[in-house]
């Protein structure tokens, strides 16, 4: 039996919010959008979600006014997905769920991602305040940096050419080269880019990647 998308009989604000962000993969798509992922192919490579599902989730977020789909300057037909003001308002929820997961379902080795204040490099706590200067830090002033647990596994998935991935007329092929994220040999372009501190909301990949990035073996600088 297919479940309906709406919560029939429920009229509270939480149920209305869940109708927008409660489907599987949606919050991970939003997480990546805050990280600076913008192209369809980048989402597909990092999440390893079937293209039909990804297209549906992105279309739903655009229809809800959470994402805006706009042409990317200088790229011809390629389009980018950008968070709207409405979408930016979801950052506290994304951050709170991330922190809840770190506390109650921690990754081996510690947090995989750390949030730092762009101005001074100090950690930003779950309350959104900088531990150094004490000021509240909006998402655009946050750096996401690899944490101690990042080597224990990757957020991305396996080869996005599998698991029912078909072609989409409005997709990119440029970021579909991510393979064997969990093999320890290659990572998708998004995971590779997140190996360095990156300011939230700025484009993570400024040019189309052409090949997977090989992880160095132990002892390689």
């Amino acid at each position: 039996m297919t479940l309906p998308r709406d919560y029939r009989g429920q009229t509270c604000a939480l149920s209305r919010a869940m109708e927008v962000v409660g489907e599987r993969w949606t919050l991970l798509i939003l997480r990546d959008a805050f990280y600076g992922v913008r192209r369809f192919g980048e989402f597909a490579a990092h999440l390893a979600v079937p293209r039909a599902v990804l297209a549906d989730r992105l279309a739903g977020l655009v229809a809800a006014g959470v994402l805006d789909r706009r042409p990317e300057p200088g790229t011809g037909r390629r389009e980018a997905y950008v968070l709207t003001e409405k979408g930016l308002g979801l950052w506290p929820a994304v951050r709170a769920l991330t922190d809840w997961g770190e506390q109650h379902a921690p990754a081996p080795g510690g947090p995989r991602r750390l949030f730092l204040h762009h101005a001074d490099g100090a950690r930003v706590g779950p309350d959104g305040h900088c531990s150094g200067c004490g000021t509240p830090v909006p998402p655009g002033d946050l750096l996401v940096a690899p944490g101690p647990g990042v080597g224990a596994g990757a957020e991305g998935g396996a080869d996005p050419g599998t698991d029912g991935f078909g072609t989409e007329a409005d997709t990119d092929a440029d970021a579909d080269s991510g393979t064997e994220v969990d093999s320890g040999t290659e990572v998708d372009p998004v995971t590779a880019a997140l190996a360095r501190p990156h300011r939230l909301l700025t484009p993570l990949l400024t040019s189309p990647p052409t090949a997977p990035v090989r992880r160095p073996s132990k002892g390689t600088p």
Side-chain angles (χ1 to χ4, degrees):
M1 176 180 176
T2 302
L3 293 174
R5 292 196 175 194
D6 60 344
Y7 293 86
R8 296 171 185 174
Q10 299 295 317
T11 59
C12 72
L14 179 59
S15 66
R16 295 194 298 274
M18 291 294 290
E19 288 171 4
V20 177
V21 301
E23 290 192 283
R24 186 174 177 85
W25 295 108
T26 297
L27 283 171
L28 295 184
I29 291 169
L30 288 172
R31 175 204 65 190
D32 281 9
F34 278 104
Y35 285 175
V37 176
R38 295 194 170 193
R39 304 183 190 110
F40 187 103
E42 295 168 8
F43 286 109
H46 191 222
L47 298 173
V49 55
R51 288 181 175 272
V53 174
L54 178 59
D56 177 76
R57 300 297 186 267
L58 288 170
L61 290 170
V62 170
V66 173
L67 292 177
D68 185 26
R69 180 176 171 174
R70 61 184 65 162
E72 199 171 31
T75 60
R77 69 174 183 85
R78 186 177 293 122
E79 293 184 316
Y81 293 89
V82 181
L83 286 157
T84 64
E85 286 298 319
K86 185 176 180 179
L88 292 175
L90 286 165
W91 173 249
V94 173
R95 176 68 197 271
L97 284 170
T98 300
D99 290 323
W100 187 92
E102 294 291 2
Q103 181 179 356
H104 298 288
R112 289 179 176 166
R113 302 290 172 210
L114 303 177
F115 297 102
L116 313 175
H117 190 185
H118 174 71
D120 57 18
R123 290 280 296 273
V124 176
D127 62 355
H129 286 73
C130 175
S131 62
C133 63
T135 59
V137 183
D141 288 338
L142 284 172
L143 291 175
V144 59
V150 75
E155 290 164 345
D159 184 356
T162 62
D163 196 21
F165 282 32
T167 58
E168 293 287 331
D170 61 347
T171 67
D172 306 329
D174 52 29
D176 292 348
S177 57
T179 57
E180 300 182 35
V181 170
D182 292 325
S183 71
T185 58
E186 295 178 347
V187 296
D188 68 89
V190 171
T191 300
L194 288 171
R196 301 176 297 276
H198 176 76
R199 194 166 182 171
L200 261 62
L201 304 180
T202 61
L204 186 62
L205 299 176
T206 56
S207 61
T210 58
V213 178
R214 294 188 177 276
R215 284 178 175 164
S217 59
K218 291 183 178 180
T220 301

